Amino acid sequence: MTAETSFQTAGTLSSLAPGTARRVVVGGLALALARDSEGTVHALADRCSHDDVSLSEGEISRGRIECWGHGSEFDLVTGRPAQLPAIDPVAVYPVQIDGDAILVDTSRTLNGL
Ligand code: FES
């Protein structure tokens, strides 16, 4: 049996500098496309689990993205908040890189959400 994937273009590496994030809509989902300081790209649901704030507007450091609402920092790999007030994780989606293209599969998550 072959696993089906549905990666779609979400942006380009050349337009997403390390340490930055941006909001994109892929497959009808708003995503925070975030590139950590080492250059790895992550795709998280672009809504804080605490309230209606876009995570893509937050600062990235130490492998986390900070919500400007109340300061919870979400791990870019697991989607889990490192501190209160957020308690619940946010969805993290699979990312592939093809040349300069950033591809995201919104049909499944990496953290079971
Ligand atoms: S809205 Fe994100 S921590 Fe409160």
Side-chain angles (χ1 to χ4, degrees), residues 69-94:
H70 306 98
S72 290
E73 297 177 5
F74 292 81
D75 187 286
L76 292 171
V77 174
T78 67
R80 290 198 191 108
Q83 66 282 110
L84 299 172
I87 297 170
D88 297 320
V90 296
V92 180
Y93 298 92

Side-chain angles (χ1 to χ4, degrees), residues 46-62:
D46 193 23
R47 185 182 189 279
C48 181
S49 62
H50 179 241
D51 207 343
D52 189 17
V53 170
S54 291
L55 293 178
S56 58
E57 297 172 5
E59 300 284 323
I60 295 173
S61 67
R62 297 170 291 129

Side-chain angles (χ1 to χ4, degrees), residues 17-21 35-37 59-60:
T20 67
R35 194 168 182 193
D36 65 29
S37 58
E59 300 284 323
I60 295 173

